[in-house]
Amino acid sequence: RSAHFELARQLFGHMTTARRELPSGYAFQFDASALPSVVRFIENERRCCPFMTFELEVSPGSGPLSLRMTGPEGTRAVLDAELNLSSSCGCRS
């Protein structure tokens, strides 16, 4: 569990290149090199949050990755708390 939270800190604190609020969650963008970490995060997160939907879009070549995490009412609040998203985005411009 601690390894999962460390992975989440890395992904959403340092590796996210963009973040967008959605009505029922968030959309994140990452560089192509983050693919193994994003997949590992999804695998782990599905165990603790079975109510959540994960949509991973992998662009051609070395294009960016897009991850949408959505769910029922309250999902964005869960993500805010779990991923510490209420603070300013660590996204690179």
Side-chain angles (χ1 to χ4, degrees):
R1 192 154 166 90
S2 64
H4 176 64
F5 287 121
E6 179 56 34
L7 175 61
R9 275 191 291 278
Q10 288 297 313
L11 279 173
F12 301 100
H14 304 293
M15 298 172 75
T16 303
T17 58
R19 178 179 80 200
R20 182 170 47 99
E21 287 186 10
L22 303 171
S24 59
Y26 282 99
F28 301 93
Q29 189 168 356
F30 301 91
D31 290 335
S33 61
L35 181 60
S37 296
V38 171
V39 170
R40 188 171 49 238
F41 172 80
I42 293 169
E43 288 175 336
N44 291 335
E45 195 68 11
R46 288 182 71 200
R47 292 184 187 119
C48 74
C49 298
F51 59 88
M52 204 173 300
T53 299
F54 300 89
E55 298 175 61
L56 180 59
E57 182 180 323
V58 180
S59 298
S62 295
L65 309 174
S66 296
L67 172 62
R68 290 172 45 104
M69 296 191 304
T70 58
E73 186 176 332
T75 297
R76 196 165 60 204
V78 169
L79 291 170
D80 284 341
E82 182 181 345
L83 303 177
N84 196 27
L85 297 177
S86 57
S87 62
S88 63
C89 180
C91 306
R92 294 175 287 163
S93 19

